[in-house]
Amino acid sequence: MFETIIQVEDVQALLSSGADLLILDCEFDLGDPDKGQALYHAAHLPGARYVDLERDLSGPVTGVNGRHPLPARTAFAASVRTWGLKPDQQVIAYDGNSGIYAARLWWMLRWLGHAPIALLDGGRQAWIATGLPMESGLPPPTRESDFAVSEPLVGTPVSTRDLLANLDRGELQVIDARDAQRFAGQPHPLDTAPGHIPGARNRFYRDNLDEQGRFKPAEALAQEFRAVLGGRGPHDTVMQCGSGVTACHNALAMEIAGLKGTRLYPGSWSEWTADPARPIAK
């Protein structure tokens, strides 16, 4: 089983062997929500099915729960069954955006208790660079599966109430996956307010990747994350970003590094700033 990342050559070998895979294309563009599916229709990995960030990986937006709130586990499990996911089936997720949307899927499937889910390291670009074939259009229909939810393989999601209480207790270290400029308080079109959660530290998700867009070696990731954690263990850390998407990229990088047990603040900055009374640091 592959449970974090998988290389192009390993996917190719699995496909050639006739292995029972579920390949999911998570392409998305925050500025153009229909672009991801259009790119999928034009070209995708053989047999891949499309997963949409806002329709499949997010719940209803209320105005106070962030831009990409988690759906209920039962609702997400219902979506997963329509993809035909079977127990213990190897899932491979990818996108062309540094893996940020595929990482959200990785976290959410582990949230349902499904272990064999891995990101294609280097994403769509790595597959294309090898000259391997792509497909267009839609795959044939699949029969709905009987996938059953089991114990989560990730830490319990953290709420805004938890983090408000933590401002006084200081028991959890929040790690913000946004870039340094947004973290420092420079205005950004995706943010309703500039700044960051008081006490948070910054770890830009792109720093998890090398110059080729692949994840850095586990040893390098472990060293870099330990410097950000400041002596905290992974169980005492919370991953956060703008809306709970790139935070999953940091959670995956920590898993690769062997630092298991970090938790996610799904609402992230977009939920925190929905109430102007909540404190902001710059």
Side-chain angles (χ1 to χ4, degrees), residues 194-236:
H196 59 265
I197 296 172
R201 295 186 177 187
N202 188 215
R203 166 69 181 189
F204 184 32
Y205 76 90
R206 278 286 311 176
D207 291 339
N208 299 324
L209 308 176
D210 62 19
E211 294 178 355
Q212 287 73 46
R214 291 177 170 83
F215 278 89
K216 294 175 181 177
E219 298 79 6
L221 289 171
Q223 182 176 5
E224 293 173 11
F225 269 98
R226 286 193 182 102
V228 179
L229 300 184
R232 301 268 188 173
H235 289 87
D236 299 322

Side-chain angles (χ1 to χ4, degrees), residues 176-188 191 195-196 202-207 241-242 246:
D176 191 326
R178 296 176 300 158
D179 64 58
Q181 290 74 31
R182 289 173 71 184
F183 181 80
Q186 291 188 16
H188 189 279
D191 294 333
H196 59 265
N202 188 215
R203 166 69 181 189
F204 184 32
Y205 76 90
R206 278 286 311 176
D207 291 339
C241 58
T246 58

Side-chain angles (χ1 to χ4, degrees), residues 76 78 95 106 121 135 165 186 188 219-220 236 239 256 270:
F76 181 51
D95 61 48
W106 172 86
D121 200 15
E135 293 181 348
Q186 291 188 16
H188 189 279
E219 298 79 6
D236 299 322
M239 297 296 116
I256 294 169
S270 55

